Amino acid sequence: MAASRYRRFLRLCEEWPVEETKQQRDLGSFLRQKIPDPEACDQMYESLVRIHTNFYKNKYPRLKETTFTGVTVEDCRTVLATDILKQMEDRKKGTWKRLREKFSAKKPEEDLK
């Protein structure tokens, strides 16, 4: 039973698309790294199959492809991309800190030690 469960889970992980824009935060990568205990594995497998096959998208079709804010799926993917999130983190830093990081030979973490 455990061997077939493991094979089913691995097959699902192989079919799950990898999103290149979400480095280190991709659900497919996360699933490939963590295989849960047997009881949770069955439940997680069934849930992931429903997500992967768009069960709820087909069961409850949407009238429009946008949300109440008017944002499309492609806009959401763009905003959640790792590169964009990294840019947003850089913008949160102050001007002085960015300049110091840019021209400093050592990393700012070393200054804190």
Side-chain angles (χ1 to χ4, degrees):
M1 180 71 174
S4 67
R5 177 184 300 126
Y6 184 74
R7 281 194 300 272
R8 288 186 320 172
F9 205 83
L10 285 180
R11 193 174 324 119
L12 179 63
C13 288
E14 288 172 4
E15 292 175 5
W16 200 278
V18 175
E19 290 195 42
E20 298 298 326
T21 61
K22 296 182 181 177
Q23 301 160 355
Q24 308 272 330
R25 303 179 302 115
D26 181 39
L27 180 60
S29 300
F30 176 79
L31 293 175
R32 288 174 189 82
Q33 293 172 0
K34 294 200 178 239
I35 304 290
D37 61 277
E39 296 83 30
C41 184
D42 288 335
Q43 183 180 6
M44 184 181 281
Y45 175 80
E46 295 301 325
S47 297
L48 291 172
V49 166
R50 287 193 297 272
I51 292 171
H52 180 64
T53 59
N54 291 323
F55 176 79
Y56 292 107
K57 181 180 179 183
N58 296 331
K59 185 175 180 178
Y60 305 106
R62 299 179 61 105
L63 300 176
K64 297 180 181 180
E65 290 299 316
T66 60
T67 62
F68 72 96
T69 60
V71 178
T72 63
V73 173
E74 192 57 40
D75 293 338
C76 289
R77 283 194 180 118
T78 302
V79 169
L80 293 175
T82 302
D83 298 337
I84 300 297
L85 292 176
K86 192 176 278 189
Q87 288 175 5
M88 290 172 61
E89 283 295 319
D90 288 342
R91 286 185 183 172
K92 287 181 182 177
K93 295 179 184 177
T95 305
W96 180 250
K97 189 170 185 177
R98 275 187 292 188
L99 287 173
R100 196 174 83 195
E101 287 177 358
K102 186 174 183 178
F103 295 110
S104 176
K106 58 184 178 178
K107 296 184 179 176
E109 293 83 29
E110 294 174 4
D111 290 341
L112 297 175
K113 292 180 182 177

